[in-house]
């Protein structure tokens, strides 16, 4: 690559976007706009393409040379890219002016709507004042009705309080009765426990009596057998005595 102060930059190799920014000492935004203009001015030249080796967007040498014409400027001469930037700035200014006009229109519409709302409120206020006396009369009557209803509610509340006091007393008595029932229940449980122990003792005594009765039955049976033997012996003894006398 060769370069002089008064001659165009001659480039004989492809350059990536970052290299173009560094080479011309331009920002990425400026270079992107210049590349967009290059593609627009030379749509079929193929200056911009994706390098299959680096997989990055690169510009062919001839395209970079065209970019140098965009960026080059002499004394009192404005570069093509700067013209594009100024054009973009003018467009932006026009958009801002349009926005300001829209804001002014919106503000004017808001003022008109606010004035209409105020007028509507004023008319409503006048209409309400026109029937003020009627409303006051109606409100007075309604207030009297409300007072009557309030008095009725007070009477009902007093009746409810009286019933509540009565219920509280009844509840206290029921709690007392419940406490007594609990105490009686505890006493009954104690008595029941005592009866259970007494029952167990009686069952033990009953078992002993059964055993004693069983023993008595055995003794009775033995006595009956002994008595039977005694009777047999006495019978035989009498027979022997009679036979001996004969």
């Amino acid at each position: 690559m060769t370069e002089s102060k008064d001659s165009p930059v001659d480039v004989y190799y492809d350059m990536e976007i970052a290299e173009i920014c560094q080479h011309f000492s331009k920002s990425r935004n400026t270079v992107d706009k210049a590349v967009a203009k290059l593609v627009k001015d030379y749509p079929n030249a193929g200056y911009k393409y994706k390098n299959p080796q680096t997989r990055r967007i690169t510009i062919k040498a001839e395209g970079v040379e065209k970019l140098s014409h965009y960026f080059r400027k002499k004394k009192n001469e404005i570069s093509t890219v700067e013209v594009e930037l100024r054009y973009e700035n003018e467009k932006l200014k026009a958009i801002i002016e349009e926005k300001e006009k829209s804001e002014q229109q919106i503000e004017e519409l808001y003022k008109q709507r606010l004035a209409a709302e105020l007028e509507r409120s004023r008319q409503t206020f006048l209409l309400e004042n026109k029937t003020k006396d009627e409303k006051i009369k109606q409100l007075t009557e309604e207030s009297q009705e409300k007072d009557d209803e309030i008095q009725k509610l007070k009477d009902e509340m007093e009746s409810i309080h009286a019933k509540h006091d009565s219920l509280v007393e009844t509840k206290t008595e029921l709690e007392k009765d419940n406490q007594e029932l609990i105490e009686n229940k505890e006493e009954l449980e104690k008595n029941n426990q005592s009866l259970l122990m007494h029952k167990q003792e009686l069952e033990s005594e009953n078992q002993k009596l059964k055993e004693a009765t069983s023993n008595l039955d055995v003794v009775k049976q033995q006595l009956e057998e002994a008595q039977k033997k005694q009777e047999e012996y006495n019978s035989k003894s009498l027979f022997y005595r009679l036979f001996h006398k004969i």
Side-chain angles (χ1 to χ4, degrees), residues 15-17 48-51 54-59:
M15 295 183 69
E16 297 177 0
I17 300 296
K48 177 183 176 183
Y49 73 101
K50 187 173 183 180
N51 193 318
T54 62
R55 295 181 179 277
R56 296 178 181 176
I57 300 299
T58 59
I59 307 298

Side-chain angles (χ1 to χ4, degrees), residues 3 14 29 34 70 86 99 116 130 133 145 149 161 182 234 236 243:
E3 180 181 354
D14 298 338
N29 185 43
Y70 291 162
R86 288 189 179 186
K99 180 182 177 183
K130 187 177 180 181
D133 293 337
E145 291 177 358
E149 290 179 1
H161 282 303
I182 290 172
N234 290 335
K236 289 179 180 180
F243 181 73

Side-chain angles (χ1 to χ4, degrees), residues 101-202:
K101 287 181 182 179
S102 298
E103 288 177 349
Q104 288 177 357
Q105 290 177 356
I106 291 171
E107 185 177 359
E108 185 65 26
L109 289 172
Y110 175 75
K111 287 180 180 178
Q112 293 176 2
R113 183 174 179 181
L114 180 61
E117 289 291 336
L118 289 173
E119 180 62 22
R120 190 182 296 108
S121 298
R122 190 179 72 85
Q123 294 294 335
T124 304
F125 178 75
L126 292 174
L127 182 62
E128 288 177 352
N129 282 339
K130 187 177 180 181
T131 57
K132 184 176 180 181
D133 293 337
E134 295 178 359
K135 287 188 175 181
I136 289 174
K137 183 179 179 181
Q138 182 181 357
L139 289 173
T140 302
E141 293 175 355
E142 291 177 355
S143 177
Q144 184 62 40
E145 291 177 358
K146 293 292 182 185
D147 291 340
D148 294 340
E149 290 179 1
I150 290 170
Q151 185 61 40
K152 185 178 179 182
L153 289 173
K154 284 182 179 179
D155 295 339
E156 291 178 357
M157 287 297 295
E158 289 178 358
S159 175
I160 290 170
H161 282 303
K163 290 179 181 179
H164 178 264
D165 294 340
S166 176
L167 288 173
V168 169
E169 291 177 359
T170 304
K171 181 182 176 184
T172 305
E173 292 176 358
L174 289 173
E175 287 177 350
K176 250 194 224 178
D177 294 341
N178 188 39
Q179 185 64 31
E180 290 178 359
L181 287 173
I182 290 172
E183 292 175 357
N184 292 335
K185 182 181 177 183
E186 292 176 353
E187 187 67 26
L188 286 172
E189 288 179 351
K190 287 181 182 178
N191 293 336
N192 189 30
Q193 189 68 25
S194 177
L195 288 172
L196 184 60
M197 293 175 64
H198 185 61
K199 180 182 177 183
Q200 290 176 351
E201 292 176 357
L202 289 174

